């Protein structure tokens, strides 16, 4: 995990924990899930992580099709998308590394704006 991922995760963590240090501001994003009730809130979280798992497996297959010499990261590291709270920032790093890997393998070219 890169240093900038950790640094940028600090404000994300602050926002996620806002109900603990500033309850007068409201329940925050976790209050939205609590508002659904325990069953539906848990179901929403489970569906979300299920969809993330499918996305991760697709990205792993994509990265696995690229020769190791052209990869900017390991296919196994894609599972960091599930590492809360780092995932909010790490997702951008992962997509950037996949794009760099595709360019290094010659599958895509750098986008130029004219």
């Amino acid at each position: 995990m890169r240093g900038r991922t950790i640094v940028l995760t600090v404000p994300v963590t602050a926002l996620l924990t806002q109900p603990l240090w500033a309850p007068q501001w409201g329940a925050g994003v976790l209050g939205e899930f609590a508002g659904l009730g325990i069953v539906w809130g848990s179901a929403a979280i489970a569906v979300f992580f299920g969809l993330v798992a499918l996305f991760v497996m697709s990205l792993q297959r994509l990265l696995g099709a690229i020769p190791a010499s052209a990869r900017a990261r390991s296919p196994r590291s894609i599972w960091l998308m599930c590492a809360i709270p780092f995932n909010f920032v790490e997702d951008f790093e992962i997509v950037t590394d996949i794009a760099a890997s595709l360019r290094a393998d010659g599958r895509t070219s750098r986008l130029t704006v004219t």
Side-chain angles (χ1 to χ4, degrees):
M1 192 168 304
R2 295 178 176 107
R4 70 176 171 215
T5 300
I6 294 169
V7 169
L8 292 172
T9 297
V10 171
V12 172
T13 303
L15 290 172
L16 287 174
T17 60
Q18 168 267 313
L20 300 174
W21 52 267
Q24 69 275 16
W25 292 352
V29 70
L30 298 178
E32 299 297 323
F33 289 107
L36 293 173
I38 191 73
V39 173
W40 290 109
S42 298
I45 292 169
V47 167
F48 171 76
F49 278 109
L51 293 172
V52 169
L54 291 172
F55 183 54
V56 166
M57 289 186 287
S58 295
L59 292 177
Q60 277 187 309
R61 279 194 305 275
L62 173 64
L63 201 52
I66 298 171
S69 60
R71 291 184 200 145
R73 72 168 46 232
S74 158
R76 291 187 347 191
S77 71
I78 305 297
W79 283 103
L80 286 171
M81 284 188 161
C82 297
I84 294 175
F86 294 106
N87 67 328
F88 295 102
V89 177
E90 185 66 17
D91 290 359
F92 293 100
E93 300 285 347
I94 289 169
V95 171
T96 300
D97 287 347
I98 290 174
S101 299
L102 290 168
R103 277 193 305 274
D105 189 38
R107 294 174 189 242
T108 63
S109 60
R110 179 169 289 286
L111 178 65
T112 56
V113 179
T114 58

